[in-house]
């Protein structure tokens, strides 16, 4: 089965927040993406709410429950107590944990699973007790996979930023793709499912899904939102679905 597409709405929310107006509507564009075939929606409600706001979460949860019950809601963020309570309140299908500093512009590295083993294990246990599937943001590093598995997580999400930054350097892109592939191979071999996300676009998705045929999900925001300015959200969603193999 091809990788499922989860549309990250943070860039839509950031555009809305520039003027503190109700448009573009985060929920409205989420509805358009799901109606066009997206398999889910992703949000990253940072503590300063500069992207998705806490007030967006009940609306998005209701959108999925009421209109697209087959779709999934993925909430990602750094697992401080405020974030953990937020996900426990809004009941996503998947929680993706990232090692973000609040000042970071965007997620730009994965966890050191060896260094943060105890913290992550405790957090994963709490989330799974509430019935959530858990994914941990991971650098393309096969040596970290066993430690990731030992946290009890269900999945890792490959940080594809270095691969995405190679848009004008095919040789480097091939090297970065192989790192991702080797990490995915190692994860699948120890029973972890594999997601991917960051700087993925229509042009670089096909090579990724070919190298990682077991890829479960891609979460895409910036590139998809940028394309939506040209093609519209519905057509852009269909273009990304096609790039994933649907």
């Amino acid at each position: 089965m091809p990788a499922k597409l989860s549309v990250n709405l943070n860039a839509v929310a950031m555009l809305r927040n520039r003027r503190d107006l109700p448009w573009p509507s985060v929920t409205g564009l989420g509805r358009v993406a799901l109606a066009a075939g997206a398999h889910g929606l992703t949000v990253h409600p940072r503590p300063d709410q500069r992207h998705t706001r806490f007030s967006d979460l009940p609306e998005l949860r209701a959108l999925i429950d009421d209109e697209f019950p087959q779709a999934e809601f993925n909430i990602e963020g750094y697992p401080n107590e405020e974030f953990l309570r937020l996900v426990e309140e809004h009941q996503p299908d998947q929680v993706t944990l990232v090692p973000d500093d609040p000042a970071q512009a965007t997620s730009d590295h994965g966890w050191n699973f060896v260094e943060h083993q105890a913290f992550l294990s405790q957090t994963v246990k709490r989330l799974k007790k509430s019935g959530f599937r858990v994914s941990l943001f991971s650098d393309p590093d096969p040596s970290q996979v066993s430690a990731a598995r030992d946290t009890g997580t269900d999945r890792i999400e490959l940080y594809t930023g270095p691969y995405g930054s190679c848009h004008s350097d095919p040789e480097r892109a091939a090297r970065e793709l192989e790192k991702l592939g080797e990490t995915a191979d190692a994860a699948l071999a120890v029973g972890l499912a594999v997601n991917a996300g960051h700087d993925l676009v229509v042009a670089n998705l096909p090579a990724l899904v070919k190298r990682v045929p077991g890829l479960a999900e891609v979460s895409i925001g910036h590139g998809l939102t940028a394309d939506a300015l040209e093609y519209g959200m519905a057509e852009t969603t269909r273009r990304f679905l096609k790039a994933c193999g649907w």
Side-chain angles (χ1 to χ4, degrees), residues 8-108:
N8 189 315
L9 295 169
N10 266 20
V12 175
M14 183 173 65
L15 180 59
R16 175 201 60 190
N17 295 351
R18 287 184 69 246
R19 293 296 180 90
D20 198 26
L21 294 167
W23 57 81
S25 169
V26 173
T27 303
L29 285 171
R31 177 182 289 108
V32 173
L34 292 173
H39 302 95
L41 301 175
T42 292
V43 293
H44 187 154
R46 288 181 167 84
D48 61 7
Q49 302 188 68
R50 67 183 183 272
H51 297 152
T52 309
R53 295 171 177 163
F54 299 162
S55 59
D56 292 319
L57 302 184
E59 291 187 12
L60 293 169
R61 179 72 271 176
L63 170 67
I64 291 173
D65 290 343
D66 297 344
E67 300 180 37
F68 302 94
Q70 78 285 359
E72 289 196 347
F73 192 24
N74 173 45
I75 300 180
E76 62 180 32
Y78 180 82
N80 59 18
E81 184 61 28
E82 180 182 41
F83 175 80
L84 294 173
R85 290 180 180 177
L86 202 64
V87 299
E88 288 166 350
E89 178 181 358
H90 297 291
Q91 296 288 299
D93 302 279
Q94 178 174 265
V95 181
T96 301
L97 303 183
V98 296
D100 274 3
D101 183 282
Q104 285 180 219
T106 186
S107 304
D108 62 8

Side-chain angles (χ1 to χ4, degrees), residues 99-196:
D100 274 3
D101 183 282
Q104 285 180 219
T106 186
S107 304
D108 62 8
H109 65 283
W111 291 97
N112 182 322
F113 296 113
V114 175
E115 181 179 341
H116 297 102
Q117 181 77 224
F119 170 67
L120 288 171
S121 297
Q122 181 180 19
T123 305
V124 169
K125 182 178 180 180
R126 173 174 170 176
L127 291 169
K128 293 184 72 170
K129 187 176 180 180
S130 296
F132 308 130
R133 183 172 71 237
V134 181
S135 180
L136 301 179
F137 210 49
S138 173
D139 288 321
D141 181 358
S143 70
Q144 286 272 328
V145 165
S146 293
R149 174 204 56 199
D150 292 345
T151 67
T153 191
D154 301 291
R155 298 183 179 186
I156 59 168
E157 179 176 330
L158 295 172
Y159 169 52
T160 54
Y163 172 60
S165 70
C166 298
H167 46 81
S168 58
D169 188 342
E171 291 184 3
R172 183 176 159 226
R175 293 194 298 271
E176 293 296 340
L177 178 60
E178 188 55 28
K179 292 179 187 177
L180 293 166
E182 291 174 356
T183 306
D185 292 343
L188 293 167
V190 299
L192 293 176
V194 179
N195 297 341

